[in-house]
């Protein structure tokens, strides 16, 4: 999915568009599977009991309600949060947008970036993710966590910054 063209300036082009690493969705997926299996098991057990049909139906509704709450809170919400989080590098700026109901974001012009760093531990290296740290001229360093292929993004951002500045340090 490309980033919406409506937020880009005239003649601005997207260089990189990333959602957070898919690893953020691992635990919500496990919760979805376990909660569904548990709800099915309990509903199956209740179905074997010799209760009145109306009592069974009430228990089934309670099981379904609890399942929906758990899945909505611990699986669907994290997925929407992941889906609506965007890390975008264009040929003019770095944009970060996040939030489902309340959106927030930051734009950093490439010309204002002083340094670009990345950090990733052993597990991050295995999963090919990490933290990108951007220091701009007027702010404390900003950390963007769970950026997929963080080394490649770091390199692309570094090249874009120096191409924008047009200095002798440009690596091209």
């Amino acid at each position: 999915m490309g980033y919406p063209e409506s937020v880009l300036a005239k003649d601005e082009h997207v260089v990189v568009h990333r959602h957070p690493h898919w690893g953020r969705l691992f635990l919500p997926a496990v919760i979805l599977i376990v909660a569904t299996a548990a709800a099915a098991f309990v509903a199956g057990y209740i179905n074997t009991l010799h209760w009145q049909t109306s009592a069974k139906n009430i228990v089934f509704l309670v099981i379904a309600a609890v399942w929906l709450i758990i899945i909505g809170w611990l699986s669907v919400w994290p997925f929407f949060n992941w889906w609506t989080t965007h890390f975008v590098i264009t040929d003019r700026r770095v944009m970060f947008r996040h939030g489902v109901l309340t959106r927030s974001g930051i734009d950093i012009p490439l010309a204002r970036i002083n340094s670009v760093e990345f950090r990733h531990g052993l597990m991050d290296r295995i999963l090919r993710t990490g933290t990108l740290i951007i220091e701009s001229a007027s702010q404390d360093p900003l950390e963007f966590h769970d950026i997929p292929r963080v080394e490649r993004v770091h390199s692309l951002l570094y090249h874009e910054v120096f191409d924008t500045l047009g200095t002798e340090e440009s690596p091209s």
Side-chain angles (χ1 to χ4, degrees), residues 2-170:
Y3 198 72
E5 297 293 323
S6 61
V7 300
L8 301 177
K10 185 179 178 183
D11 297 328
E12 185 176 17
H13 304 287
V14 173
V15 177
V16 174
H17 173 223
R18 298 274 196 262
H19 291 285
H21 191 266
W22 60 265
R24 273 194 189 177
L25 298 177
F26 180 75
L27 186 59
V30 169
I31 290 170
L32 173 67
I33 293 166
V34 169
T36 301
F41 178 78
V42 172
Y45 176 73
I46 296 298
N47 201 31
T48 64
L49 298 176
H50 299 292
W51 290 358
Q52 292 180 352
T53 305
S54 59
K56 284 184 181 180
N57 288 341
I58 290 171
V59 173
F60 289 150
L61 286 174
V62 169
I63 292 169
V66 169
W67 179 83
L68 280 173
I69 291 168
I70 290 171
I71 295 308
W73 180 39
L74 299 176
S75 291
V76 174
W77 185 260
F79 173 76
F80 282 134
N81 194 22
W82 173 85
W83 186 255
T84 59
T85 300
H86 300 274
F87 179 80
V88 181
I89 300 173
T90 71
D91 55 351
R92 296 183 186 177
R93 59 187 165 156
V94 174
M95 296 184 287
F96 182 74
R97 303 282 190 274
H98 62 95
V100 178
L101 299 176
T102 304
R103 302 275 301 157
S104 61
I106 187 169
D107 291 5
I108 306 169
L110 294 179
R112 305 272 317 248
I113 295 176
N114 290 340
S115 68
V116 182
E117 303 174 42
F118 70 92
R119 178 178 59 235
H120 55 180
L122 179 62
M123 192 56 138
D124 290 336
R125 291 176 67 191
I126 291 170
L127 294 174
R128 298 174 67 177
T129 185
T131 301
L132 189 68
I133 304 159
I134 299 174
E135 185 177 340
S136 65
S138 63
Q139 298 174 340
D140 292 332
L142 297 171
E143 294 188 4
F144 302 99
H145 302 282
D146 295 326
I147 302 295
R149 301 183 61 157
V150 70
E151 288 185 62
R152 184 172 187 275
V153 173
H154 169 266
S155 177
L156 286 170
L157 181 56
Y158 177 80
H159 287 285
E160 286 296 321
V161 166
F162 282 103
D163 286 348
T164 299
L165 295 177
T167 66
E168 306 88 41
E169 299 178 52
S170 180

